Amino acid sequence: MAIVVEDGTGANPLANSYVSELELTTYATDRGITLVGSAANLLLLSMDTLETRSYQGSKTSTAQPLQWPRSGVVVEGESIADNEIPSNLKSAQIVTALSIDAGVNPMGTISPAIKREKVDVIEVEYQDGASSRSYDPKINAYLQPLLAFKGGFSNFAVTRL
């Protein structure tokens, strides 16, 4: 499938990415990373992760195929323009694509972490309360300012009577 980059208008019903294949390959090359998978496939798979998140504000059009562009988004006290695709979002897509290419898919199945293996008379012991799936923390670092719920207790005020 061809990559169609969202240009900020939300008008193209075929839009399926926030970054181009060139942007992904340039980012990887600049960091000495050689992609194993196809850039187009990695970008599409990374969108599966990005499109499941709950972002601030609302879509600028109910007809747009992707979560962005959005209106009503504020990052670090500054409003994001209704026709802007934030650089954080683009970076998150790239980092997610690279993570998937490295074999760590944030949307992958979680399996229990192995605590101990024994080869003769095969035995496997799983770690309590742990999973064997890794997750690149840079993905959340880029997305955090754009998400609807940021956690913490900064969203309420206490009034004394």
Side-chain angles (χ1 to χ4, degrees):
M1 177 177 236
I3 294 297
V4 179
V5 178
E6 171 57 59
D7 64 3
T9 65
N12 190 338
L14 301 177
N16 58 9
S17 182
Y18 299 119
V19 298
S20 68
E21 293 172 77
L22 179 60
E23 288 172 294
L24 173 59
T25 56
T26 299
Y27 183 98
T29 301
D30 288 350
R31 287 156 181 79
I33 300 169
T34 302
L35 296 177
V36 177
S38 89
N41 189 47
L42 293 169
L43 289 173
L44 292 174
L45 289 171
S46 66
M47 287 298 289
D48 291 344
T49 299
L50 298 182
E51 290 298 293
T52 63
R53 300 298 181 102
S54 295
Y55 297 101
Q56 293 183 50
S58 56
K59 290 181 174 185
T60 56
S61 165
T62 56
Q64 71 190 53
L66 302 176
Q67 290 291 326
W68 291 83
R70 298 180 78 78
S71 59
V73 178
V74 178
V75 175
E76 296 179 6
E78 299 291 325
S79 293
I80 301 292
D82 292 0
N83 63 348
E84 181 180 347
I85 305 300
S87 60
N88 275 20
L89 186 64
K90 293 178 180 186
S91 295
Q93 184 178 6
I94 289 170
V95 170
T96 303
L98 293 176
S99 182
I100 292 167
D101 196 48
V104 181
N105 186 346
M107 297 291 287
T109 303
I110 299 174
S111 58
I114 296 174
K115 180 177 181 179
R116 185 172 63 95
E117 288 182 305
K118 184 178 177 182
V119 177
D120 191 5
V121 189
I122 303 169
E123 180 178 312
V124 177
E125 183 178 351
Y126 296 101
Q127 186 74 30
D128 293 336
S131 72
S132 63
R133 182 174 76 176
S134 301
Y135 187 80
D136 189 336
K138 289 182 288 202
I139 298 168
N140 279 343
Y142 284 122
L143 289 177
Q144 190 66 27
L146 305 172
L147 297 176
F149 176 74
K150 296 178 172 93
F153 298 101
S154 61
N155 295 331
F156 69 92
V158 176
T159 304
R160 291 188 174 199
L161 300 175

